[in-house]
Amino acid sequence: MILVTGGAGYIGSHFVLSVLGKGENVVVFDSLETGHIETIETLKKYGNLKFIHGNLKNLDEIRGVFLVNKAIKAVVHFAAYSQVAESMKNPQKYYYNNVYGTLNLLNAMLEFGVKKLVFSSTAAVYGEPEYTPIDEKHPQNPINPYGNSKLMIERILDDYDKAYGLKSVRLRYFNAAGADSKARIGEWHEPETHLIPNILKAEKDKSFKMFGTDYDTKDGTCVRDYINVEDLTEAHIKALKYLMEGGTTSCFNLGTSNGSSVKEVFKVCEEIKGESIPVEVLPRRNGDPAILVADNKKALELLDWKPEKDLKDSIRTAYNWEKVNKH
Ligand code: UDP
């Protein structure tokens, strides 16, 4: 049995769907602040899923999960607030939820002797890139509270391994993209801040807002490494396997190692939608580095993982989901 925190959210739900399909028993613990109960209802159709509504900020609630589910052998921890801009306005919300919430989870894990954890980290732990592509040895200087909160947890996990033997894999996501290839679930944030859903949602009187065309990049717009959500899911499955087979505490970048500019993504969206999309150019968004591309060699070698899907696949599945979710 696997405990998945944040299993009602975007990446967590795709992971749950995949492991349910492999016959695994799953307990999802989610506060439903940003995740959706509708997603849980959908997931329940595809396997043995137990849903527990609770908040990691409440130690008793997460202890209770382990108390009644003694078969939990590992935890995959997605639950977190993840909006950079919000974290700059309200750091307290981010440190309290992400760091304190994780400390409670770790307390409960140690109390019940569960010592394997896959943790959702982020490229934001690196901060402004000093070189590109970014490998795991790149200096870690986050430039916002969101990235800081994730880096703090990574450091806590190092210490918990040394002191308590808790083994963890930290997966540093670049830009997650796309949806389930059968459009059963997909990306659903309210409000939506991410590039691909925002381009696909744009309509005549609600144009897509392109933030900045004066970056020092191939076409003046920011370059990102869009990694398909089903490929991300697969990496979590491999990370669990790695830990179960005695793998040591480690971190891995999850990206494709290919960068796409905002304009390139926009063009593929138009191609897939088969129509022109209204666009408005705005000034740069605060805190956006020009280029973020992963060096993913470590994950390829040690996790035996490889991204199978490209940007077009991600945009196609995101669009299919957008059509379903709209209704
Ligand atoms: N972006 C944009 N318009 C939007 C959302 C995003 O131009 O409505 C740009 C953003 O400035 C960045 C890129 O798209 O350069 C990716 O942003 P996103 O929020 O998807 O991911 P991030 O890289 O911030 O994690």
Side-chain angles (χ1 to χ4, degrees):
M1 179 181 271
I2 304 170
L3 170 62
V4 181
T5 72
Y10 172 39
I11 304 173
S13 62
H14 287 79
F15 170 76
V16 171
L17 185 59
S18 176
V19 288
L20 287 175
K22 294 182 195 299
E24 187 67 64
N25 294 332
V26 178
V27 180
V28 167
F29 182 83
D30 198 298
S31 69
L32 297 180
E33 285 164 280
T34 53
H36 303 276
I37 191 65
E38 293 87 340
T39 305
I40 296 291
E41 299 307 334
T42 304
L43 292 173
K44 278 187 171 165
K45 294 185 205 151
Y46 298 100
N48 192 0
L49 167 67
K50 193 191 249 190
F51 174 60
I52 300 173
H53 184 205
N55 198 308
L56 286 175
K57 282 175 282 201
N58 185 327
L59 177 61
D60 285 339
E61 286 181 5
I62 186 63
R63 279 188 75 244
V65 174
F66 288 93
L67 202 61
V68 296
N69 295 285
K70 293 268 164 48
I72 293 171
K73 58 179 195 272
V75 179
V76 186
H77 177 32
F78 294 97
Y81 295 144
S82 63
Q83 295 203 20
V84 168
E86 186 189 45
S87 80
M88 291 167 86
K89 279 195 216 115
N90 194 355
Q92 173 178 253
K93 178 173 173 181
Y94 276 70
Y95 291 121
Y96 190 48
N97 184 75
N98 294 2
V99 183
Y100 177 66
T102 301
L103 283 172
N104 281 340
L105 171 68
L106 298 177
N107 278 359
M109 287 176 68
L110 292 178
E111 180 182 343
F112 290 90
V114 179
K115 293 196 170 180
K116 311 241 181 265
L117 176 76
V118 178
F119 172 63
S120 298
S121 190
T122 167
V125 298
Y126 298 115
E128 196 65 48
E130 290 178 17
Y131 57 83
T132 186
I134 297 173
D135 58 18
E136 290 81 356
K137 295 195 182 86
H138 186 284
Q140 297 179 317
N141 296 305
I143 53 169
N144 52 61
Y146 167 64
N148 270 325
S149 73
K150 291 285 181 175
L151 182 57
M152 284 176 187
I153 299 165
E154 289 210 19
R155 298 213 162 127
I156 290 168
L157 290 173
D158 278 331
D159 291 339
Y160 276 38
D161 180 15
K162 285 182 207 125
Y164 313 122
L166 192 149
K167 302 290 170 202
S168 65
V169 168
R170 291 84 74 113
L171 299 175
R172 296 179 182 153
Y173 311 152
F174 281 64
N175 288 58
D180 169 46
S181 32
K182 295 184 186 146
R184 293 167 293 185
I185 52 173
E187 185 165 8
W188 182 0
H189 296 116
E190 285 170 21
E192 187 52 75
T193 61
H194 293 109
L195 178 65
I196 294 171
N198 275 350
I199 300 176
L200 294 173
K201 276 181 207 299
E203 288 166 343
K204 225 176 31 220
D205 48 357
K206 210 181 105 238
S207 54
F208 160 66
K209 296 177 174 51
M210 187 179 278
F211 299 132
T213 51
D214 58 350
Y215 285 95
D216 186 15
T217 57
K218 48 188 163 185
D219 59 19
T221 61
C222 286
V223 171
R224 294 288 180 273
D225 185 339
Y226 294 90
I227 175 77
N228 182 271
V229 70
E230 290 186 329
D231 281 332
L232 277 184
T233 290
E234 197 51 34
H236 289 72
I237 292 170
K238 301 254 173 168
L240 264 181
K241 183 165 176 279
Y242 164 93
L243 283 176
M244 289 307 176
E245 289 172 353
T248 53
T249 289
S250 199
C251 56
F252 299 98
N253 285 344
L254 296 183
T256 62
S257 291
N258 293 311
S260 307
S261 73
V262 171
K263 280 187 177 165
E264 285 169 341
V265 172
F266 181 79
K267 198 161 153 270
V268 179
C269 288
E270 285 197 319
E271 241 172 75
I272 284 172
K273 252 186 130 171
E275 56 188 60
S276 63
I277 297 173
V279 52
E280 186 186 344
V281 173
L282 293 186
R284 293 179 180 200
R285 188 172 72 174
N286 247 348
D288 276 340
I291 303 178
L292 277 178
V293 177
D295 176 333
N296 64 8
K297 279 192 217 76
K298 190 175 169 196
L300 264 59
E301 280 164 25
L302 293 179
L303 290 183
D304 187 29
W305 167 78
K306 195 159 110 332
E308 302 288 347
K309 300 189 165 70
D310 62 15
L311 179 66
K312 259 196 180 144
D313 297 319
S314 292
I315 294 178
R316 193 178 306 112
T317 53
Y319 183 49
N320 289 341
W321 160 249
E322 187 62 36
K323 285 189 283 187
V324 174
N325 196 33
K326 218 176 177 170
H327 304 291

